[in-house]
Amino acid sequence: MRLLSIVLVVALAAPLAAQRPAAPPLSPTAPVADTNDVRSIDAILRALYDVISGPAGPRNWDRFRSLFWPGARLIPTGVRADSGPRATVLDPEGYAARSGPYFLQNGFFEREASRRLERFGNIAHVFSTYESRRAAADSLPFARGINSIQLFFDGRRWWVVTVLWDAERPGLTIPPEYLPRPPSRP
C-alpha cells in the first residue's frame, strides 16, 4: 500500500512539475567573462569603466558584453531643448553600435569619482559618479554625471543588469553627497 501511495504522488506531481516555468539561465550566451572582471562589485564596476575607456580606436566589445545579464539595458537620459526630458533604451549591442563609431574617432576616458552602494542579498544598487575626459592626462573632465547601476549576483559572479545615467548640465549639478569627500585630517 505504501508503494502504491508513493507511485500515485509521483504520478500526480509529474504534470505539475512539467508546467513550472524554466529557471532563467545562469550562463547566458554572452562571451565568457574574465573571472577577475566579475568576482566582486568593485571588480565589475572597474571593468565597466575600463572597457569603454581608451584612446581613439576600437573597444573590446566581447569583454563589454561579458559583463551584462541577458536582457540587460543601458539607458542614457537627458533633455532636448525642443522636447524636454528623454531616455533612450539600449541593449549592450545597441550601445556598442551607437558608441563604437565615436570611440573609433575620439579618445574617451571615464572614471568613477565617487560611489554610494546599497546591497540586499543577491542584488546591489550603485550610484556611481563619473568624470569623462578626452585624454587620460586631462586635468579637468569635459563631462560629469551619475550612473545608476543595478547588479545581480548569481551565486558565482556579478552581472550588470541596468545602467541608467544622466549628466550635469545648466541647472543640474551633482549634489555634494554624490561627490568625492575630501580626505580627513588626522
Side-chain angles (χ1 to χ4, degrees), residues 32-58:
V32 176
D34 181 328
T35 55
N36 292 322
D37 282 348
V38 296
R39 70 174 180 255
S40 67
I41 292 172
D42 285 338
I44 198 165
L45 292 176
R46 206 170 24 256
L48 185 62
Y49 281 107
D50 183 58
V51 75
I52 62 169
S53 296

Side-chain angles (χ1 to χ4, degrees), residues 94-177:
Y95 178 86
R98 182 179 178 182
S99 300
Y102 177 83
F103 293 152
L104 285 173
Q105 302 297 317
N106 300 278
F108 181 81
F109 293 83
E110 193 164 88
R111 72 171 185 86
E112 185 178 56
S114 179
R115 177 189 307 173
R116 289 184 65 170
L117 167 69
E118 295 189 25
R119 180 178 176 185
F120 177 76
N122 292 322
I123 63 172
H125 177 251
V126 180
F127 255 37
S128 177
T129 303
Y130 65 83
E131 296 179 341
S132 303
R133 290 171 169 77
R134 289 183 175 81
D138 288 352
S139 60
L140 295 174
F142 71 86
R144 297 189 323 169
I146 295 179
N147 288 317
S148 172
I149 304 168
Q150 288 71 48
L151 302 165
F152 171 65
F153 185 70
D154 73 359
R156 296 182 305 240
R157 59 158 286 182
W158 284 95
W159 298 89
V160 177
V161 177
T162 309
V163 183
L164 171 71
W165 69 95
D166 204 350
E168 282 187 314
R169 57 185 168 274
L172 181 66
T173 57
I174 297 173
E177 62 266 25

